[in-house]
Amino acid sequence: MKNSVFTLKVASIRHYFALPHRMPVLHCSPEKRRKNGATHLIAAGLICINGLMLSPLASAAESLQQAWEQGLKRDHLLASSSARQEAAEAQLAAAKATYFPKLALEAGYLRTESEPAAKISIPALPMLKGASLPFAQDASYFGGVTVSAPLFTSGRIAQGVAAAEAQQQVSAAQTRLTYSELKLAIAQSYVQVLRAEHALQVSHSHVQAVQKHRTDVQALHERGYVARHDVLATEVALANALQWQLQAENGLSLARAAYNRWLGRAYDDKVELQDLVTDPGHERRDLHQSLSAYLLAAQEQRPELQALRQQSQALQHQAASVKASHLPQLGVSAGYNKLENRYLAQDKGWWAGLVMKWELFDGGQVRQQSSQLSANARAVAELAQDNQEKIQLQVRQAWMNQQETRQRLGLVATAVEQADEVLNLARERYRSGLAPNSDVLDAETRRLQAYSNRDNAIYDHELARLQLLYAAGMLAAHHQ
């Protein structure tokens, strides 16, 4: 059996979407459907169950969760964001290390042209005039170990650590933003493939319906019941249907290529996806929280806002750290040194010291640097406020779209049933000579539009749900 199973087009959208979606549609005549009734639906169910058991695609199809996992593994932007987050964490560790004592080891070798000596000038001993007294060797080794630690820095180190912590939070928020954007992009591509697959199904159904009508028209024309005008009009309708089918095939190929790109596959790799409507592992419940709840969630969880707020705080802490460097700095140091020198009575020993540094005047350099960082902090805070307003609008739009698509779902099922019934009636009336050919073609066009509207409503609803989760900052942590 080929990698497809038959689906049976039925009047109810519920029955239709209980069937697999990547298969050619088997049309049943309206007369048979009306005669057989429930028996027909039971037979359709048996056909579908048998097809699902035999088709390898039922188990091989890829779910949206699997697509997310695969795409998140290989995305270069997400890997770059993760690397930046690691760099920020290392920067934070380096800032905290400033608190700890520093241990340094020194060693070297010194060679001079001659032994360093001091001139001797003692008025009471004129015979020593012009003499020199060596005080170091012309070649010597030296070494030592030094320990130093800050005691008081006027808040310079503490503010530097706080700035590094805020910057680490910025990198983490940017990683979450990349993660959310990637999940939404993959989901949009996934939904686009499903939408294109159903568009191709509908185009096949349209071609088959027009071909069936052309057969009826030709038979009536051969018997002299209808004019040749009806044959020509039907041929034009069939040509248009075939053209739309070609466009649908090309659209599906493009959608699959775009989807494969997100997952790092060859563009022409085979794509088999689980339909979000029939996937038992997919959460199809509506999002019923109030708009204010989503607005509050976005304000607290949107990574863009978190990143900008933390960036502003980081700049404020940096400004305070720079300003503190102009205040007193107190430190302690100690060590042990060894100097090879035969002229010294003691050429090695321990030492300790207390050091205080206070820059009283530097031409205003530190003050200006601190002012620059403070101004940048205010600028980022204004950007955060602007983004918050834009995000509130985005959440409101996403919530309203989700509500609108949910309401559309209640209308499309009835529209499909009615379009099928109108087409059946138009065919019967035409075969009976009670309606013109244009009524049948118009009814088929309306049926095509009804099925397209149904598919668009279903996948617009799924996409609106994901976009609302993204707008509220909930997609990064959301699992199906």
Side-chain angles (χ1 to χ4, degrees), residues 340-361:
E340 184 185 15
N341 191 339
R342 60 176 175 265
Y343 298 104
L344 296 178
Q346 183 64 265
D347 62 353
K348 59 182 178 293
W350 295 94
W351 61 273
L354 187 65
V355 180
M356 192 276 285
K357 180 183 178 182
W358 188 357
E359 279 193 2
L360 298 177
F361 180 74

Side-chain angles (χ1 to χ4, degrees), residues 62-64 66-68 70 185-191 193 253-267 270-273:
E62 189 170 51
S63 68
L64 178 56
Q66 291 172 331
W68 276 339
Q70 180 66 26
I186 292 174
Q188 288 174 332
S189 185
Y190 190 102
V191 170
V193 172
S253 297
L254 294 175
R256 286 174 172 172
Y259 174 78
N260 281 329
R261 205 279 295 181
W262 286 114
L263 273 63
R265 300 170 181 166
Y267 292 122
K270 188 176 181 180
V271 175
E272 297 294 342
L273 303 182

